[in-house]
Amino acid sequence: MTTENTAPVEHFVDASRQTGAIWGLHCKDGWVICDSAIYEGTDVMPFWSTREAAEIHCVDEWSEFAPVAIPLEEFVDDWLVDLANDAVMLGPDWGDDLSGEEIEPRELAEKFVLQ
């Protein structure tokens, strides 16, 4: 399930392929996870295609977090499988206001494999 505009996801896939990494926010207590704005009772884990895009969010309640690179192959082969099993949605390249598309892990995995 995704929103109708897939351009941000396509950009996320292309940019991540170029760098070979996905960026998440991590601290001693774990990874950033948000409540879905679309699906009630669902968690969303935001990821970014660049360190700079992730780092923008390390302020206020997330000031203790830091961007951490996840190798693309590990993200696709391991992370997306685990997140799908846990029914966690993904927020690829969310903007400054922490909004954007929410996509299922399996759907994102298909985009990495098929494009």
Side-chain angles (χ1 to χ4, degrees):
M1 294 184 212
T2 61
T3 59
E4 292 185 15
N5 181 5
T6 58
V9 173
E10 308 299 331
H11 174 266
F12 176 82
V13 170
D14 291 343
S16 299
R17 277 197 181 126
Q18 289 177 11
T19 63
I22 303 290
W23 293 86
L25 298 181
H26 190 268
C27 75
K28 64 179 174 41
D29 295 325
W31 296 91
V32 163
I33 297 179
C34 307
D35 292 331
S36 172
I38 302 170
Y39 308 104
E40 189 173 330
T42 301
D43 290 330
V44 179
M45 196 165 186
F47 292 99
W48 293 270
S49 55
T50 66
R51 176 185 178 89
E52 295 77 18
E55 199 165 39
I56 290 169
H57 302 284
C58 297
V59 296
D60 300 327
E61 71 265 15
W62 291 356
S63 61
E64 64 193 51
F65 289 86
V68 174
I70 304 162
L72 183 57
E73 185 175 338
E74 177 184 332
F75 181 76
V76 173
D77 293 345
D78 299 332
W79 281 71
L80 292 180
V81 172
D82 291 342
L83 291 169
N85 290 338
D86 292 340
V88 174
M89 298 290 284
L90 305 176
D93 276 340
W94 276 3
D96 296 348
D97 61 352
L98 288 177
S99 68
E101 192 161 350
E102 297 180 13
I103 185 170
E104 293 179 3
R106 285 186 177 93
E107 189 174 345
L108 186 60
E110 288 174 8
K111 291 188 180 297
F112 275 110
V113 172
L114 298 176
Q115 288 184 357

